[in-house]
Amino acid sequence: MATAKKSTAKKQLPDDNQIIAWYMEDVLGNEGRALNVYSFCKQHDLEEAIFYSFFGSIDAIRQEIWVKFFENAVVAIEKEPGYSAYSDKNKLLTLYFTLFEILTLNRSYVLFALQEQNEGMRSLMQLKQFRNRFKDFIVHIIKGTDNEMVAKVKKVTSPAFSEGAWIQFLLILRFWMKDNSRGFEKTDIIIEKSVNTVVDLLDTKPLENLIDLGKFLWKERKSSL
């Protein structure tokens, strides 16, 4: 009688992406109940030593999730045909639209992560590494251009411009979190208006776009009351 051979295959070890996927599922599945390394590893039959070879803490996972969001956006952007020849404005638009497409795919987690314990946007410590990647990418866009921005950036330093773009991103993120429009079409509108404004702030006549953006934000604020 034939007998089954005993499996000698080694248990496949998880990578950082698997640990992140487990964490995001656990957070949403457990209705946000606090996780610690011990309970997380026990739940997934994972040795703590393996966990710590990837992440130093649960908070490190939370930060890395946002880094992954950004890295995936950059990969998608750089695959677009002709991206390197885009204007500065279109590069920014592509970055923002791609980022928010990825955030929308993970909306349940993002909303929980940023609204945890009713802290709203005060939960921004988890965006620390994401913020650094974002600002570096904005500076890269500025330094990589040979036409539109070079002369204008002499008036505004790259760090100041990247910090302004970061604040702009946070404002759009907050708007997106409350956007109930179909397909988040209102967020798409505010992305276009905001990018027009931030690019034109390097020009000499930004007032018209600033007024346009202000009217849109005020209209949306009143409709949400």
Side-chain angles (χ1 to χ4, degrees):
M1 183 175 66
T3 58
K5 293 183 179 179
K6 185 177 180 180
S7 175
T8 58
K10 292 183 179 180
K11 179 181 177 181
Q12 185 174 359
L13 297 178
D15 58 12
D16 58 336
N17 289 320
Q18 180 62 71
I19 292 176
I20 285 174
W22 282 339
Y23 174 78
M24 293 175 72
E25 291 171 3
D26 290 351
V27 163
L28 296 175
N30 293 326
E31 298 180 350
R33 286 194 292 272
L35 296 172
N36 57 48
V37 174
Y38 172 79
S39 61
F40 178 84
C41 290
K42 185 176 181 180
Q43 181 170 338
H44 295 286
D45 191 24
L46 179 67
E47 293 181 13
E48 288 191 40
I50 295 176
F51 175 93
Y52 285 122
S53 71
F54 292 105
F55 302 103
S57 65
I58 293 295
D59 283 340
I61 297 180
R62 289 153 59 91
Q63 290 197 41
E64 186 63 19
I65 288 170
W66 286 90
V67 171
K68 294 288 187 183
F69 289 160
F70 191 79
E71 290 178 345
N72 290 340
V74 171
V75 168
I77 288 170
E78 292 180 344
K79 286 182 178 178
E80 289 201 16
Y83 170 76
S84 60
Y86 283 7
S87 67
D88 306 301
K89 175 182 173 180
N90 285 336
K91 285 181 179 178
L92 285 173
L93 281 172
T94 302
L95 173 64
Y96 281 49
F97 281 131
T98 305
L99 273 174
F100 279 95
E101 284 176 8
I102 290 172
L103 294 180
T104 297
L105 291 174
N106 297 277
R107 184 172 172 85
S108 293
Y109 173 81
V110 172
L111 292 181
F112 166 78
L114 295 181
Q115 295 172 340
E116 187 176 7
Q117 299 176 350
N118 296 319
E119 291 185 353
M121 297 301 287
R122 287 183 292 177
S123 302
L124 293 182
M125 278 301 296
Q126 62 190 288
L127 273 64
K128 182 178 179 181
Q129 297 302 320
F130 175 91
R131 174 179 178 271
N132 293 338
R133 299 293 184 94
F134 179 93
K135 291 179 66 177
D136 287 346
F137 193 82
I138 297 298
V139 171
H140 175 72
I141 290 177
I142 295 173
K143 290 183 177 179
T145 186
D146 292 324
N147 40 49
E148 297 174 27
M149 278 190 188
V150 173
K152 299 175 185 178
V153 168
K154 291 180 182 178
K155 304 175 184 178
V156 183
T157 63
S158 295
F161 184 78
S162 63
E163 184 64 32
W166 170 247
I167 293 172
Q168 178 193 58
F169 172 80
L170 290 181
L171 291 173
I172 299 172
L173 178 60
R174 185 181 182 190
F175 185 93
W176 170 83
M177 290 171 65
K178 298 179 180 180
D179 187 2
N180 294 316
S181 63
R182 180 182 299 178
F184 306 104
E185 57 189 14
K186 289 183 179 179
T187 296
D188 290 344
I189 293 172
I190 198 173
I191 286 174
E192 290 197 34
K193 289 181 178 293
S194 296
V195 169
N196 285 339
T197 299
V198 80
V199 171
D200 285 351
L201 280 173
L202 295 176
D203 214 333
T204 56
K205 298 180 180 179
L207 186 58
E208 183 177 343
N209 274 340
L210 283 172
I211 292 173
D212 190 31
L213 176 60
K215 286 180 178 178
F216 178 79
L217 289 171
W218 178 250
K219 178 181 177 182
E220 291 306 313
R221 180 179 180 275
K222 289 180 65 178
S223 66
S224 64
L225 294 177

